[in-house]
């Protein structure tokens, strides 16, 4: 059974940093793209960042230069380092595993999803 578990969320002041982790189990995803999405209250879920099986990355413009996505295939784990956090980054962050090898921005390109972790940035 495939399972994705996010961790590392929490409350942080504006300008601070958090590191999210997404641990996958049930099978290896080293040949799959993985991604982070987020959903703020009252808004639709949106793309944040994605990483392909070769390590190629893609970022939403809103987080480019502040967030860094990485993966450790040996640990079947993906990370999201978030720096210079802003109140508008407040959301539930979800990790997902894609059905392609290349990073994708559309959530419909992802088959497996975690339960989400809350990130709250205070001003």
């Amino acid at each position: 059974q495939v399972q994705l578990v996010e961790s590392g969320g929490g409350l942080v002041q504006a300008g601070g940093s958090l590191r999210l982790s997404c641990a996958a189990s049930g099978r290896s995803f080293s040949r799959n793209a993985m991604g982070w999405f987020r959903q703020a209250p009252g808004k639709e879920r949106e793309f944040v960042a994605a990483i392909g099986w070769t390590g190629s990355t893609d970022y939403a413009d809103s987080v480019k230069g502040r967030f860094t996505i990485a993966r450790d295939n040996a640990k079947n784990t993906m990370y999201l380092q978030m720096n210079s956090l802003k109140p508008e980054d407040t959301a539930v962050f979800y990790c997902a595993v894609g059905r392609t090898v290349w990073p994708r921005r559309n959530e419909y390109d992802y088959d497996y999803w975690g339960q989400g972790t809350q990130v709250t940035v205070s001003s």
Side-chain angles (χ1 to χ4, degrees), residues 1 10 21-22 28 34-35 43 59 66 70-71 77 85 111 120:
Q1 180 180 356
S21 298
C22 172
S28 171
M34 300 181 74
K43 295 186 177 181
Y59 296 92
R66 300 187 297 123
R71 64 190 298 166
T77 300
L85 283 162
D111 286 330
T120 303

Side-chain angles (χ1 to χ4, degrees), residues 33 35 37 47 49-51 58 100 102-107 109-110:
F37 291 77
F47 168 77
I51 185 166
D58 187 22
T100 70
W102 305 113
R104 292 287 185 266
R105 296 189 170 203
N106 193 320
E107 64 179 82
D109 288 318
Y110 293 81

Side-chain angles (χ1 to χ4, degrees), residues 2-6 22-25 27-37 51 71 76-78 94-102 104 106-114:
V2 173
Q3 189 174 17
L4 303 179
V5 179
E6 301 100 336
C22 172
S25 60
R27 52 164 280 199
S28 171
F29 293 111
S30 61
R31 294 298 184 112
N32 295 77
M34 300 181 74
W36 289 97
F37 291 77
I51 185 166
R71 64 190 298 166
N76 226 19
T77 300
M78 175 177 64
Y94 299 89
C95 69
V97 174
R99 66 177 70 95
T100 70
V101 297
W102 305 113
R104 292 287 185 266
N106 193 320
E107 64 179 82
Y108 296 105
D109 288 318
Y110 293 81
D111 286 330
Y112 302 104
W113 292 83

Side-chain angles (χ1 to χ4, degrees), residues 15 43 45 92-93 103 116:
K43 295 186 177 181
R45 189 159 57 186
V92 176
F93 280 70

Side-chain angles (χ1 to χ4, degrees), residues 6 8-12 18 20 36-48 62-63 66-67 80 82 85-95 115-122:
E6 301 100 336
L11 173 64
V12 65
L18 284 174
L20 304 183
W36 289 97
F37 291 77
R38 66 185 180 186
Q39 187 168 22
K43 295 186 177 181
E44 294 187 350
R45 189 159 57 186
E46 64 175 5
F47 168 77
V48 175
S62 60
V63 307
R66 300 187 297 123
F67 292 9
L80 185 68
M82 305 186 294
L85 283 162
K86 304 175 181 180
E88 51 264 44
D89 293 317
T90 295
V92 176
F93 280 70
Y94 299 89
C95 69
Q115 82 289 349
T117 185
Q118 176 71 47
V119 171
T120 303
V121 184
S122 63

